[in-house]
Amino acid sequence: MSERITEPGVYDIPAEAYHADTLPPEPSLSSSGARKLLATCPARYWYDRQNPPEPTEALDIGTAAHEWLLEGDRWPQRFAVLPDDHNGATKDGKALVAEIIASGMRPLKAEPFRHIKGMIEALKAHPFAWAAFQNGRAEQSLFWRDDDYGIWCRSRPDFRPTAGTIIVDYKTTRSANPDHLSRAMYDYGYHQQAEWYCWGEQVI
């Protein structure tokens, strides 16, 4: 069981414990929660918090890519790659997926697996991008209190360097076209997320 969080600081806790948000004395606000509040209203934010949507295939692929990059040694224990000829509509296909889920692992189709493998290889081949993921710690959780309102806040950057000021967050995208990227950054509020991460680093 993860430790209870009673003081601001940097914690090494599982992703599941971070997202469950049961360790601080009261619910904490994340970057995604803050962006939800700005885009909608408190009632919608709280409803979505209590009723999280089912993950989409794109989200599953992004999660798998993150975990492969940041926790490569644990990846084989978390995901099972389905065969190329897998048919999820057949009885055998459904049974295989159910068996994988029952074992505590997550099924991943063969084609997305190849995409993710290529993404990781491309990242490692880029000297600057790959260097950003060296000499630091992956997926540490930051918790702090807002000075003005006293609420708990939290963040979980993908990678925090041992020295320096670059905070790294790995993002997947449908297109590398600069125009598409700039639009995606705005639509998903990545500029707001970056500011949130910097805030947490400054106050802890």
Side-chain angles (χ1 to χ4, degrees), residues 32-45:
S32 58
R35 283 175 281 163
K36 174 76 72 173
L37 284 170
L38 288 172
T40 59
C41 64
R44 178 58 186 270
Y45 157 75

Side-chain angles (χ1 to χ4, degrees), residues 9 11 13 16-17 44 52 68 74 77 81 99 110 112 119-120 129-130 138 158 162 168 175 189:
Y11 294 84
I13 61 175
E16 295 80 6
R44 178 58 186 270
W68 189 339
R74 299 179 59 189
Q77 285 77 49
V81 180
E99 181 181 342
M119 289 158 54
I120 301 300
W130 184 236
D158 286 343
T162 302
V168 187
S175 170

Side-chain angles (χ1 to χ4, degrees), residues 65-178:
H66 269 81
E67 295 190 15
W68 189 339
L69 173 64
L70 302 173
E71 302 180 70
D73 55 335
R74 299 179 59 189
W75 202 90
Q77 285 77 49
R78 294 190 175 190
F79 289 90
V81 180
L82 298 168
D84 279 310
D85 60 353
H86 175 262
N87 185 344
T90 65
K91 180 180 179 180
D92 289 344
K94 292 178 181 178
L96 176 58
V97 169
E99 181 181 342
I100 292 171
I101 294 174
S103 71
M105 299 177 70
R106 285 172 276 179
L108 185 66
K109 294 179 182 178
E111 189 64 19
F113 168 75
R114 284 190 285 270
H115 287 166
I116 294 169
K117 185 173 184 290
M119 289 158 54
I120 301 300
E121 290 173 349
L123 178 65
K124 290 183 175 181
H126 193 290
F128 180 78
W130 184 236
F133 287 93
Q134 310 306 308
N135 301 317
R137 297 288 299 275
E139 295 199 310
Q140 290 185 308
S141 297
L142 284 65
F143 289 84
W144 69 95
R145 278 188 178 276
D146 175 69
D147 289 338
D148 294 326
Y149 298 99
I151 64 171
W152 280 91
C153 301
R154 73 183 193 275
S155 69
R156 190 178 173 89
D158 286 343
F159 196 84
R160 301 176 66 240
T162 302
T165 58
I166 296 178
I167 306 169
V168 187
D169 216 49
Y170 182 61
K171 302 295 186 186
T172 56
T173 180
R174 294 181 180 274
S175 170
N177 181 291

Side-chain angles (χ1 to χ4, degrees), residues 24-35:
E26 59 195 39
S28 62
L29 186 64
S30 66
S31 167
S32 58
R35 283 175 281 163

